[in-house]
Amino acid sequence: MQTIAITGATGLLGRTLVKTLEAHYHIVGCGFRRATPPLVSLDLSDKDAVSAFLDEYVPDVLIHAAAERKPDVCENDHAQTLALNVAASEHLAKQCNQRGIRLFFISTDYVFDGVNPPYVEQATTNPLNFYGQSKQQAELAVLASDPTHCVIRVPVLYGDVEYLAESAVTVIAEQLKSDPHSALDDWAIRYPTHVEDIALTLADLIALPKAQLGGIYHVSDTQALTKYQMAQLIASALGLDGSSLVALPEPTQSATRPHNCALKDTRLHTLGIAHHRDFAAAIGAVLNQHLQG
Ligand SMILES: NC(=O)c1ccc[n+]([C@@H]2O[C@H](COP(=O)([O-])OP(=O)(O)OC[C@H]3O[C@@H](n4cnc5c(N)ncnc54)[C@H](OP(=O)(O)O)[C@@H]3O)[C@@H](O)[C@H]2O)c1
């Protein structure tokens, strides 16, 4: 049985990667501050510890999902962002290349400026905020280390959360519940994607021969929604009245966000890989499970 190491296994995406892939693979998940056994606590900025981890567990595949992914946090701490998002990713990529480990690096639609969507995999990147810039640098470093490494770009994610504010999608439910007159961005167009669909896509990619893989892949659901539009669907899923919500026609967040980074998944389409779901039904299921649990 192949061994898959997953960084960020305590995070929103990583938890579902572990859950989905452990049915078919031996999984070694690692987190950092939240990691408790069987997860391994590994500080990715500690290069010696990373090498020792790879020596000990000898994975066949590594999915690198750990990152600082909050644009406002990245904007306020460039050094920390570069250390985790760029330097640690580059180190992992080189170590994986030297050891023949297949690397899947999770990146973001925020490497694009959002001006000319949809974006194919080879479209020119032009990130507008520091988070996007750090991921752009990491992508370049990963592929320079080994062109057979895979960069997996994903848009805004949702799924099982530990707390509603953990995802930029489920946090909307918290806003709605605390203030039915909440004002929400009705400018930026997003493509909320369930973490399980990312995990299922990765499972399909990992099952392919190494010779068929390498470079950039786009994984995205297709329903275009602003936060205001998501809020209306979330209100309806929770049986709340969305009629008092306020639509903001201009962006308001401190780190600049792109307008529309629609990711066109031409390579997955060619491979016949597609995992999509209806947002209204899926977010309803996520929220009901969380609020009842
Ligand atoms: N969430 C989104 O909407 C979204 C959108 C586009 C792209 N992405 C990308 O998808 C990937 C997964 O994101 P996510 O939402 O699952 O992130 P997340 O929930 O914020 O989790 C971040 C993970 O990184 C780990 N981590 C932080 N500092 C670390 C360090 N020094 N050493 C080792 N691990 C460290 C955390 O571990 P501890 O908590 O245990 O410390 C946690 O497991 C990221 O690459 C992100 O850029 C996410």
Side-chain angles (χ1 to χ4, degrees):
M1 189 185 259
Q2 286 198 322
T3 296
I4 301 183
I6 299 173
T7 72
T10 48
L12 175 67
L13 174 60
R15 293 194 304 269
T16 293
L17 289 175
V18 172
K19 206 164 136 188
T20 306
L21 294 170
E22 69 186 359
H24 305 287
Y25 298 97
H26 172 237
I27 301 297
V28 182
C30 54
F32 183 33
R33 293 177 192 86
R34 283 181 283 172
T36 52
L39 298 182
V40 177
S41 181
L42 172 67
D43 180 1
L44 290 170
S45 60
D46 180 341
K47 290 185 176 176
D48 292 340
V50 169
S51 302
F53 170 83
L54 296 174
D55 286 340
E56 183 175 350
Y57 293 99
V58 201
D60 302 285
V61 173
L62 190 141
I63 304 175
H64 178 32
E68 178 47 70
R69 47 87 170 171
K70 297 189 187 80
D72 295 337
V73 174
C74 293
E75 218 63 48
N76 290 325
D77 193 344
H78 286 198
Q80 191 69 24
T81 302
L82 289 174
L84 179 60
N85 290 7
V86 185
S89 302
E90 180 169 20
H91 179 65
L92 267 179
K94 286 181 176 163
Q95 291 291 314
C96 286
N97 168 264
Q98 284 169 19
R99 294 155 193 262
I101 301 169
R102 296 164 67 191
L103 175 67
F104 293 82
F105 167 66
I106 309 296
S107 190
T108 171
D109 57 347
Y110 275 18
V111 294
F112 294 115
D113 59 19
V115 177
N116 285 308
Y119 294 94
V120 294
E121 292 82 352
Q122 293 313 319
T124 305
T125 55
N126 182 33
L128 298 183
N129 57 39
F130 196 75
Y131 166 62
Q133 287 161 16
S134 71
K135 294 297 255 188
Q136 178 198 43
Q137 282 183 49
E139 286 187 358
L140 293 170
V142 163
L143 294 177
S145 302
D146 188 335
T148 71
H149 285 344
C150 297
V151 167
I152 309 292
R153 292 190 185 132
V154 303
V156 67
L157 302 176
Y158 69 99
D160 291 341
V161 284
E162 288 182 343
Y163 54 99
L164 289 176
E166 189 178 19
S167 143
V169 176
T170 49
V171 72
I172 296 171
E174 196 165 78
Q175 286 173 264
L176 287 183
K177 280 159 66 73
S178 64
D179 180 7
H181 303 279
S182 290
L184 293 125
D185 186 311
D186 197 29
W187 176 82
I189 297 164
R190 317 293 299 272
Y191 297 83
T193 298
H194 199 289
V195 284
E196 193 180 44
D197 290 329
I198 306 294
L200 292 169
T201 301
L202 279 165
D204 288 347
L205 286 173
I206 289 167
L208 292 172
K210 183 176 177 172
Q212 276 189 33
L213 291 171
I216 300 165
Y217 296 82
H218 285 176
V219 189
S220 175
D221 220 314
T222 52
Q223 218 172 330
L225 294 165
T226 65
K227 279 199 170 177
Y228 174 76
Q229 291 167 332
M230 287 185 230
Q232 291 294 348
L233 295 172
I234 288 172
S236 145
L238 294 179
L240 299 172
D241 177 15
S243 62
S244 305
L245 294 170
V246 179
L248 294 171
E250 299 289 337
T252 52
Q253 286 154 309
S254 55
T256 309
R257 261 65 165 185
H259 177 55
N260 182 352
C261 291
L263 298 173
K264 202 163 167 49
D265 58 349
T266 51
R267 295 191 71 196
L268 290 185
H269 186 75
T270 305
L271 291 167
I273 297 173
H275 296 281
H276 298 143
R277 64 189 72 198
D278 175 65
F279 177 76
I283 193 66
V286 163
L287 292 171
N288 284 320
Q289 188 185 328
H290 180 79
L291 296 169
Q292 283 163 18

